[in-house]
Amino acid sequence: MRCRNGDRGVIMRAREEVERLIKEKDLRSLLLKAGELHGHFCPMLSLGVKAGAYAMNELVVENPGMEEIIAIVETNNCFSDGIQFVTGCTFGNNALIYRDFGKTAVTLAKRSGDGIRISVKPGAFMDPETEALFQKVVARREGSREETEKLMKGFENAAFSLLDRDELFLCERVKVDVPEYAPIFESEVCEECGESVISTRMVKKDGRKLCIPCAGGSYLELNGSGIVRYEDKTI
Ligand SMILES: [Zn+2]
Ligand SMILES: [Zn+2]
């Protein structure tokens, strides 16, 4: 189905192929494409792809990337990239909400609030040899090049074999308090560095309007440790 917009002709649907693959439950093709975003194939990416596709089909939705569908993820691990790719709810289109709970789980919801929460059951998602390599190469950063390559192969095998495994998730229907559409703020120019800044992020200091780095103010950062607050850190 194509959307038509009067005389202007056909609107290109950016996610047409992804939406088709979701409906066809072609998880293998979705995982292959998700790897382009994520950079490697791994068990958690695979679980994110699988959970994302399941949730999209359960809610019977497509996502044109305009905040009609939102995803709430509860940790920033590989799973969340599978979710972003398959559901189309991303960091940049304001439809990805991040709650720093440290849980591998996602809630997908429509703007009406009807949603589904899927969490990954505790368990082993790779063979013991790959798990041991993961501890050495990733957790302790001690792996040789050969061990790293062996890990990536083990990751890949685990990722694709998980697509056929059942009983991986706990699912429940939920009612979600969906936030308002992202507000549009004016931009202002920092009097120190001259860069454009969203007005709500400007800081008044000594009678001047500055950006946070120029003012040396506190800020939040999302990084590998989750959400971290920095106070007056020089950037
Ligand atoms: Zn990964
Ligand atoms: Zn500045």
Side-chain angles (χ1 to χ4, degrees), residues 190 192-194 210-211 214:
C190 170
E192 178 70 30
C193 67
L210 305 176
C211 70
C214 288

Side-chain angles (χ1 to χ4, degrees), residues 32 153 206:
L32 282 168
K153 194 65 203 166
D206 303 330

Side-chain angles (χ1 to χ4, degrees), residues 25-103:
K25 301 189 173 74
D26 186 347
L27 298 177
R28 189 183 151 78
S29 297
L30 286 170
L31 178 56
L32 282 168
K33 288 167 83 66
E36 292 179 21
L37 171 71
H38 188 56
H40 62 255
F41 298 107
C42 67
M44 284 297 159
L45 179 70
S46 174
L47 292 176
V49 165
K50 204 166 173 168
Y54 181 77
M56 293 289 281
N57 279 323
E58 279 293 301
L59 295 183
V60 198
V61 285
E62 292 191 356
N63 188 357
M66 295 298 286
E67 299 177 66
E68 298 309 322
I69 309 294
I70 60 133
I72 304 166
V73 292
E74 300 179 20
T75 191
N76 56 338
N77 63 8
C78 304
F79 181 83
S80 295
D81 271 356
I83 295 299
Q84 286 197 86
F85 178 76
V86 171
T87 67
C89 299
T90 72
F91 183 72
N93 66 23
N94 294 126
L96 185 75
I97 294 171
Y98 178 69
R99 290 185 182 154
D100 200 358
F101 294 164
K103 293 169 138 188

Side-chain angles (χ1 to χ4, degrees), residues 194-228:
E195 291 186 359
S196 181
V197 188
I198 295 171
S199 59
T200 55
R201 293 295 179 272
M202 291 294 266
V203 180
K204 276 207 177 107
K205 191 177 184 185
D206 303 330
R208 297 203 302 159
K209 287 177 106 177
L210 305 176
C211 70
I212 291 169
C214 288
S218 65
Y219 64 98
L220 298 170
E221 177 173 299
L222 173 62
N223 59 35
S225 300
I227 295 176
V228 181

